[in-house]
Amino acid sequence: MTDDTFIEGPLYERRRKVYPQSVHGRFRRIKWAILCITLGIYYLLPFVRWHRGPGLPSQAVLVDLPHRRFYFFFIELWPQEVYYFTGLLIIAAMALFLMNAVAGRLWCGYLCPQTVWTDLFYAVERWVEGDRRERMQGDKRYWTFGHVRKVALKHFLWIMIAWWTGGAWVLYFADAPTLVKDLATFQAPFIAYLWIGILTATTYLFAGHAREQTCIYMCPWPRIQAALTDEWALNVTYRRDRGEPRMSVKKAEAARALGDVAGDCVDCHQCINVCPTGVDIRHGIQLGCIQCGLCIDACDNIMKEIGRPPGLIGYDTDINMQRRREGKAPIYRIVRPRTLIYAAAIGLVGSIMLYTLATRSTMDVNVLHERNPLFVQLSDGGIRNDYTVRLLNKGPERSFGLEVLGLPGSTIRIAGVEPKPDGKLTVQVGQDQTREVRMSVQVDPAHVPQAPVDIEIRITDRASGESASTRDHFVPADQ
C-alpha cells in the first residue's frame, strides 16, 4: 500500500448556508398542525389550573422542587416514586424505536423540539426577509439599509421567541401567574432569570443559527436509528426506477414520442430547495435527511404542473424499490415482529404503571434502626431498641396509630406523644406531609429474646382503617 492511497481532506464539510424555500402541500400542513399543537401546549400549559384542595398548589403541571413533589393534573408523585419516571423513559425509548421501525426518522421530521422551533424561526425569517430568492439576494447586498433593517427585525423576533421559550420553561417550576408578576417587577429569584437567560441563548443559537448543523453533527439519533432500521421501514425515497433518466420537460416529451425511455424527474431542484437541511434526496437516504416530507410536497406540485402522476418522491421501503425493479407490485408490512415487540413493550410498561398508580397507597412508613448503640440494657434486666420512624401522608391531614407486632412483652414509647385513653399511640401528620418521630421499643426481662427477632412496624389510619407497614429487627443484649 502506498502513501497516495490515503486522500487527505477536511473532517467536516465547509458550512454551506441553506435557504429553504416555502412549500405547500399535505406534509407541510401536517407540520404546521404539529407545530401549533406542541408549542401551544408548551407555552400555555403552565397557566392551566387544577384544584387539589386547600394548602395544595393549583397549577395543573408543576415541578415543586422545594417540597419535592411533581404534580400532573390529578397525579401527585413523591421522590420515592421515581420509578414512574423510569417507566416513562422506557415508554419514550420504545415509542422512538417504534416510530423508527414504522417510518424512519418520524420523530426528527415532525416532533423533535429542534425541528419545531427551527420551523418557527424559518417562518419568521420568510415573513420578514422574503422567500428563498429574496433572502439569497439580500445576503449578497448585505450592507444596504433595507436589508440591515430586515435582519435586525428578524433577530429581534427570534430573541423574543427564544426569551418566551426560556420563560415558559421556568413557569413549570413555580406558580406561573405569580412568577410572571415577580419577573415583571424584578422580584423573582436570581435563579429564574439565570435559567431564562441560558434557555433564551440556547434556543436562539440552535434554532436561529445552528439549525441543520444540530441535526447533522450534534444529535446522536441519526446514527443510532441507522442501526435500528430495516428494509421494511418507510423512508422518504426518490423512486429512481420512475425518475431516471432525468431530462427537461420538452426533451422528455420528444423522447417519449420517439419511443425512448424518459424519466419523470425534470431536474428542477425543487426537492433540494425546500429541504431544511439542503439534502438532495435523489442521492438516496442520507444522514442529513430528517424525513420531513417537504420534498414530497415540492415534487408533487411540479408533477401536477407538468401533467405527470404524483409520487415520484414518497414514503417507501427498500423492499419495494427492489420489487419495482423486478416488475412486482409493492407490499407494505407495518405490522411485523419488530413493531409488535415495541408495541408490546409500551403496552406492558404502561399497564404496569397504570396498575401501580391506581392501587398505590396514600400512606407509607419507613424505619431506621438506631446503630449507636444497637440496644440499651435497662436496670431491671429489660432491653430497649430505638428507631427513627418516618410517616408519609399523601392525603389530607390524618391521625395514625402506631404499633409493633411480632415481639411479645413489648411496650413502645414515642418522644413527645402521649398515649390515648385506650393506651394506643397516635401520631398526627399534616396534609401532604411527612413526620419523623423517635420510637423506643422496650421488652420486659421475662420476654427478652435469645436472638435478633424480626418485627413489623405498622401504622393505621384511625379514620379509614387503611394501614401500611415495614419490617425491621429487635436486637437483644447478648448480640
Side-chain angles (χ1 to χ4, degrees):
M1 182 179 292
T2 60
D3 292 339
D4 59 1
T5 303
F6 299 97
I7 301 174
E8 294 185 359
L11 181 61
Y12 296 106
E13 180 185 0
R14 184 179 179 182
R15 172 76 190 275
R16 174 176 54 87
K17 188 172 182 180
V18 179
Y19 297 87
Q21 182 176 308
S22 62
V23 63
H24 304 283
R26 175 179 48 177
F27 293 100
R28 179 65 269 182
R29 289 192 295 271
I30 292 173
K31 286 173 66 65
W32 281 131
I34 292 175
L35 184 149
C36 293
I37 293 171
T38 54
L39 291 187
I41 292 173
Y42 174 75
Y43 289 131
L44 301 178
L45 189 57
F47 297 96
V48 177
R49 302 290 95 184
W50 188 270
H51 181 68
R52 296 187 178 88
L56 293 175
S58 59
Q59 188 162 310
V61 180
L62 176 66
V63 181
D64 190 355
L65 293 179
H67 299 94
R68 295 182 294 178
R69 304 286 187 276
F70 173 70
Y71 298 96
F72 185 82
F73 293 91
F74 62 91
I75 300 173
E76 176 186 349
L77 299 181
W78 289 49
Q80 297 87 343
E81 297 170 318
V82 68
Y83 48 82
Y84 285 110
F85 296 101
T86 304
L88 287 176
L89 289 175
I90 294 173
I91 290 176
M94 291 298 106
L96 201 58
F97 297 162
L98 178 60
M99 282 190 283
N100 177 73
V102 172
R105 295 174 66 179
L106 199 61
W107 165 263
C108 300
Y110 299 91
L111 295 166
C112 175
Q114 172 68 15
T115 298
V116 172
W117 265 288
T118 301
D119 257 359
L120 180 60
F121 275 48
Y122 273 137
V124 171
E125 186 174 61
R126 294 190 190 100
W127 178 66
V128 175
E129 295 186 18
D131 209 348
R132 172 184 166 84
R133 184 182 299 274
E134 289 80 4
R135 296 201 306 278
M136 294 176 68
Q137 291 176 349
D139 282 354
K140 290 179 181 178
R141 53 175 188 270
Y142 189 84
W143 291 109
T144 64
F145 174 77
H147 183 66
V148 171
R149 177 175 58 83
K150 290 180 179 179
V151 171
L153 175 60
K154 175 188 72 176
H155 284 279
F156 171 76
L157 294 175
W158 280 0
I159 291 173
M160 288 298 98
I161 295 172
W163 169 75
W164 184 240
T165 299
W169 177 256
V170 301
L171 297 182
Y172 286 93
F173 295 84
D175 183 67
T178 303
L179 183 56
V180 168
K181 179 181 177 182
D182 291 343
L183 289 169
T185 57
F186 300 99
Q187 297 178 357
F190 171 75
I191 191 68
Y193 294 104
L194 175 64
W195 276 107
I196 290 174
I198 292 173
L199 294 170
T200 298
T202 52
T203 305
Y204 173 72
L205 174 64
F206 291 148
H209 294 278
R211 293 181 173 180
E212 77 283 351
Q213 302 296 302
T214 302
C215 302
I216 297 173
Y217 297 119
M218 297 175 64
C219 180
W221 179 237
R223 294 154 180 84
I224 296 173
Q225 69 90 29
L228 294 173
T229 193
D230 62 11
E231 67 274 15
W232 292 104
L234 292 166
N235 289 288
V236 175
T237 305
Y238 168 66
R239 296 183 171 113
R240 182 173 296 275
D241 55 298
R242 174 185 154 187
E244 301 295 330
R246 309 173 200 168
M247 58 187 71
S248 67
V249 177
K250 290 183 179 180
K251 289 182 178 180
E253 291 176 350
R256 292 187 185 105
L258 296 173
D260 296 333
V261 177
D264 284 348
C265 180
V266 295
D267 209 16
C268 63
H269 285 205
Q270 283 302 298
C271 57
I272 307 173
N273 294 342
V274 302
C275 179
T277 60
V279 164
D280 187 345
I281 193 62
R282 297 173 299 178
H283 295 163
I285 299 176
Q286 301 156 66
L287 187 67
C289 178
I290 63 172
Q291 306 283 311
C292 63
L294 295 182
C295 55
I296 300 177
D297 287 338
C299 188
D300 284 350
N301 292 338
I302 296 297
M303 292 297 104
K304 183 178 180 180
E305 290 179 7
I306 65 175
R308 302 299 295 173
L312 177 58
I313 301 176
Y315 276 95
D316 210 343
T317 68
D318 291 344
I319 291 289
N320 286 335
M321 292 288 290
Q322 180 63 32
R323 290 180 65 85
R324 272 194 298 272
R325 282 193 290 267
E326 298 172 357
K328 300 178 181 179
I331 56 175
Y332 299 94
R333 291 183 182 173
I334 293 178
V335 179
R336 57 189 191 277
R338 181 186 295 251
T339 57
L340 289 175
I341 290 173
Y342 294 148
I346 294 171
L348 177 62
V349 176
S351 299
I352 293 173
M353 290 177 61
L354 288 175
Y355 175 77
T356 56
L357 191 64
T359 59
R360 68 173 182 163
S361 174
T362 57
M363 54 189 286
D364 200 3
V365 57
N366 296 307
V367 174
L368 181 64
H369 195 288
E370 182 66 46
R371 298 294 179 185
N372 190 22
L374 280 174
F375 63 89
V376 175
Q377 187 161 13
L378 305 176
S379 58
D380 62 356
I383 299 297
R384 189 188 81 216
N385 284 196
D386 296 324
Y387 305 83
T388 299
V389 181
R390 179 180 291 273
L391 299 94
L392 292 84
N393 176 24
K394 302 175 185 178
E397 183 175 1
R398 290 190 282 191
S399 296
F400 294 112
L402 195 150
E403 57 184 332
V404 174
L405 305 176
L407 189 62
S410 64
T411 57
I412 62 174
R413 293 184 176 85
I414 298 176
V417 176
E418 295 295 330
K420 294 293 183 181
D422 58 3
K424 294 183 179 180
L425 292 170
T426 300
V427 181
Q428 199 81 9
V429 183
Q431 175 179 289
D432 197 33
Q433 292 181 7
T434 65
R435 182 176 176 182
E436 193 173 276
V437 296
R438 186 175 178 82
M439 178 182 72
S440 298
V441 179
Q442 180 177 327
V443 177
D444 60 60
H447 294 87
V448 173
Q450 299 302 311
V453 176
D454 288 336
I455 60 174
E456 179 183 356
I457 295 93
R458 178 185 296 174
I459 61 172
T460 304
D461 184 355
R462 294 294 194 190
S464 66
E466 181 184 1
S467 64
S469 63
T470 187
R471 304 195 71 86
D472 209 290
H473 56 273
F474 183 89
V475 179
D478 58 357
Q479 298 299 313

